[in-house]
Amino acid sequence: MFGIVRRHKPFVHAHWYVPLLKFRSDTVQFYESIEAELAEHQIPEITVERIDFKQAGFFSGKRTYLRLIRERVVLDICSAPFGKGWYFSLRAAELPRRLGLVELLVTLLGLLGFCALYWQLFGLNLGGVALGASFFFLFLLFIAGRVWGTLDECLIYLPVLGVFYENYFRPDTYQQQDHRLVYADMVTGIVRAKVEEFCVAGGAYESQLIKVTGPDQILTENELVKYGYKEGTKRIRN
């Protein structure tokens, strides 16, 4: 979503699930029920989409998740069968912003090509004026994005330019921090209520919500080392 070359994997901050034995539900109906509830509560600046994740390797089947996005905070919700049982799950995650070397080089080459095109079309003097006017328009666009919610969301998702916009034109204010927390809490509460509603409708009156509390439960071995939760092991060659 944010990179030019590849889509970065979300970093999961919280995770809970509800396992159910001998239970069946309807995934599409569950997702549609959450979407209707969100529309009724009019949660601002939220993007709702269905996203398919592979269940295992490259040739494996896919599992459809309901993804709720506000800025870079995402909630990935799943309702799916597991053998003769069923489970509901929710992950609160963040879409990372990284400006890699390849992305930076591609941007610089594109900028040089853009400058060369202006000078080729308008000449050196007029091309410089047109180029300056284009950058000034981009500057005004970044300023307008701070007060225009739809434009703000669009600018955040731009590759490369979104990084500069967020770092230099969009300070992390108290209000933005509060809105992120309120959004996550409100939506999580809605999803939990819907899970309980569907459990009761299917005859599971004593469902158990389990929180994943340890990072080793939600991260791979490489991610645990990468984020500093444990030390890596060195291979010894004989």
Side-chain angles (χ1 to χ4, degrees):
M1 179 178 292
F2 298 109
I4 295 177
V5 181
R6 63 187 179 90
R7 183 172 184 162
H8 294 301
K9 181 180 179 181
F11 180 77
V12 177
H13 291 286
H15 180 197
W16 59 259
Y17 61 98
V18 177
L20 299 164
L21 294 173
K22 296 180 180 180
F23 185 88
R24 277 294 181 267
S25 187
D26 189 311
T27 299
V28 175
Q29 186 179 355
F30 178 69
Y31 291 166
E32 289 177 347
S33 180
I34 292 176
E35 292 170 353
E37 191 77 14
L38 292 173
E40 181 179 342
H41 287 280
Q42 298 182 357
I43 306 295
E45 300 173 11
I46 184 173
T47 300
V48 181
E49 63 180 17
R50 308 285 176 90
I51 183 168
D52 293 329
F53 290 110
K54 290 189 177 297
Q55 299 181 35
F58 184 77
F59 295 103
S60 66
K62 296 181 179 180
R63 180 74 68 200
T64 300
Y65 283 68
L66 178 65
R67 170 165 284 189
L68 312 176
I69 310 173
R70 190 179 190 277
E71 297 179 1
R72 290 191 291 110
V73 180
V74 300
L75 297 177
D76 286 332
I77 303 159
C78 183
S79 170
F82 185 78
K84 292 185 178 181
W86 200 271
Y87 71 92
F88 299 93
S89 72
L90 182 143
R91 290 170 174 83
E94 177 186 1
L95 294 172
R97 296 300 300 265
R98 299 189 182 99
L99 187 58
L101 180 60
V102 175
E103 293 161 324
L104 188 59
L105 290 176
V106 170
T107 303
L108 291 176
L109 290 175
L111 183 60
L112 290 175
F114 190 66
C115 294
L117 179 62
Y118 265 62
W119 290 332
Q120 179 69 26
L121 292 175
F122 305 108
L124 186 60
N125 294 330
L126 188 58
V129 173
L131 186 63
S134 298
F135 281 114
F136 182 68
F137 173 76
L138 184 62
F139 174 79
L140 294 179
L141 200 64
F142 282 176
I143 296 297
R146 299 169 61 179
V147 296
W148 189 359
T150 306
L151 178 59
D152 175 71
E153 182 180 1
C154 178
L155 292 174
I156 287 177
Y157 292 156
L158 286 177
V160 182
L161 288 178
V163 178
F164 289 101
Y165 169 68
E166 193 169 9
N167 288 338
Y168 300 107
F169 292 87
R170 196 177 185 276
D172 193 20
T173 63
Y174 282 166
Q175 176 173 295
Q176 290 171 340
Q177 294 172 3
D178 290 342
H179 282 188
R180 285 195 296 268
L181 293 172
V182 171
Y183 154 73
D185 262 356
M186 280 188 175
V187 176
T188 299
I190 290 172
V191 175
R192 287 180 178 176
K194 284 298 176 183
V195 168
E196 184 176 350
E197 177 185 322
F198 272 69
C199 287
V200 171
Y205 297 98
E206 297 182 357
S207 58
Q208 182 183 10
L209 186 148
I210 302 174
K211 291 184 179 180
V212 180
T213 56
D216 56 321
Q217 294 176 270
I218 57 177
L219 300 180
T220 65
E221 188 75 15
N222 290 335
E223 288 173 331
L224 288 171
V225 174
K226 177 181 178 181
Y227 295 113
Y229 290 109
K230 65 182 297 184
E231 295 183 358
T233 56
K234 296 182 179 179
R235 294 183 178 179
I236 301 177
R237 296 184 179 179
N238 296 325

